[in-house]
Amino acid sequence: KWAWVDGEIYQFGNLPTKDTPFTARLNWLIQSHNASWALNNFLNYRSGSTNYVATKEQIDLDDSTTATVYKTEDFPSKFTWDARATYNWKVTQDQNLTFGVTVSNVFNKKNRSVTTTGTKYSEEGRRFIVDLNYKF
């Protein structure tokens, strides 16, 4: 697969590196003394980056080979907060019933990104998951 970027032809796997964003993650667990409830927070920050985005244009290199035209695009920094709350009820000595609620992307922030093939997408919005576990 060939890529055309700013008038230069590259093999897609050999595109020059644009930048190296950094990522910071923080996991914070708050739990009761008797361990019946817990609140787990997962914070994730990724700095802004510049990446290659595929356009719909194709350039013919010869009779049988084409190259996809890519452009560089800046993507802003990303911050997400996921949270999980659980309540554990001890039914008997050896049995527990756990009720959990998970909220992904608490702020419902619309983070834009790009796949490894150059297709733009938006990461998923806020999502709620409720679960019930019975351990015996």
Side-chain angles (χ1 to χ4, degrees):
K1 185 174 176 181
W2 294 93
W4 178 276
V5 180
D6 297 331
E8 298 286 327
I9 297 174
Y10 301 94
Q11 279 191 311
F12 182 77
N14 294 332
L15 285 171
T17 303
K18 295 304 296 173
D19 60 5
T20 308
F22 69 91
T23 301
R25 294 181 178 101
L26 174 66
N27 191 17
W28 179 23
L29 175 64
I30 303 168
Q31 194 168 11
S32 65
H33 291 292
N34 62 0
S36 60
W37 64 267
L39 178 61
N40 192 357
N41 295 285
F42 181 72
L43 307 169
N44 187 17
Y45 173 80
R46 184 168 187 212
S47 65
S49 64
T50 302
N51 215 323
Y52 296 105
V53 177
T55 66
K56 295 183 182 193
E57 294 180 59
Q58 297 280 327
I59 294 179
D60 291 326
L61 301 177
D62 59 37
D63 290 337
S64 63
T65 309
T66 60
T68 303
V69 177
Y70 288 83
K71 63 178 182 164
T72 57
E73 188 171 324
D74 293 329
F75 290 87
S77 62
K78 300 172 191 175
F79 175 76
T80 57
W81 173 26
D82 300 335
R84 176 163 174 75
T86 57
Y87 181 78
N88 188 32
W89 178 47
K90 194 164 204 61
V91 178
T92 67
Q93 180 76 18
D94 299 324
Q95 298 178 15
N96 291 318
L97 183 66
T98 304
F99 176 74
V101 177
T102 303
V103 182
S104 300
N105 196 358
V106 172
F107 292 133
N108 200 24
K109 189 171 180 201
K110 307 285 189 249
N111 291 318
R112 294 183 315 120
S113 195
V114 65
T115 65
T116 56
T117 60
T119 305
K120 290 196 297 187
Y121 71 97
S122 290
E123 295 174 356
E124 74 178 359
R126 185 180 305 124
R127 179 175 58 168
F128 296 90
I129 300 169
V130 177
D131 59 273
L132 187 62
N133 296 303
Y134 188 71
K135 296 180 183 176
F136 53 94

